[in-house]
Amino acid sequence: MKAFWCILLLCQLGFAQQAEERQIDSILSLLPSYAMDDTLKVNALLNISRLGLKTRSLKGQPYANQALSISKKIGWTEGEARANFLIGNGY
């Protein structure tokens, strides 16, 4: 019976990771449409970073760094805080 539950759990984890990777791909496809550096772009980068940290630890770091840079440039302190949080979680 334990083996059944272990197999079921592993299957669920695999499906969850695939769903998160699809979300990352979807947001990445929208990223070029954000021409201006604004809060929408920062939020998209933060979402990619958050999902990337869940699935592929180091893949989320560059997006968090980019979000931090843009947040500082536009003076959005909430974006800076969220980006720093994700950067810290990546280590």
Side-chain angles (χ1 to χ4, degrees):
M1 189 63 159
K2 277 187 177 179
F4 170 75
W5 290 111
C6 287
I7 291 171
L8 184 63
L9 178 64
L10 289 174
C11 289
Q12 289 290 348
L13 292 174
F15 289 130
Q17 185 172 359
Q18 287 177 351
E20 288 170 347
E21 294 213 9
R22 275 187 257 131
Q23 285 180 324
I24 291 171
D25 292 340
S26 176
I27 298 170
L28 280 172
S29 69
L30 292 174
L31 205 53
S33 67
Y34 298 118
M36 292 179 21
D37 288 343
D38 59 2
T39 57
L40 291 174
K41 187 172 187 175
V42 171
N43 280 326
L45 291 166
L46 291 171
N47 283 331
I48 293 168
S49 177
R50 180 180 52 81
L51 292 167
L53 288 172
K54 283 183 178 179
T55 58
R56 312 170 255 183
S57 181
L58 296 176
K59 297 285 184 173
Q61 287 296 105
Y63 298 104
N65 289 330
Q66 189 177 355
L68 178 61
S69 174
I70 294 171
S71 294
K72 284 181 178 180
K73 180 175 147 186
I74 63 175
W76 190 39
T77 55
E78 181 183 341
E80 287 181 50
R82 290 176 56 204
N84 279 319
F85 177 78
L86 290 170
I87 291 168
N89 281 337
Y91 287 106

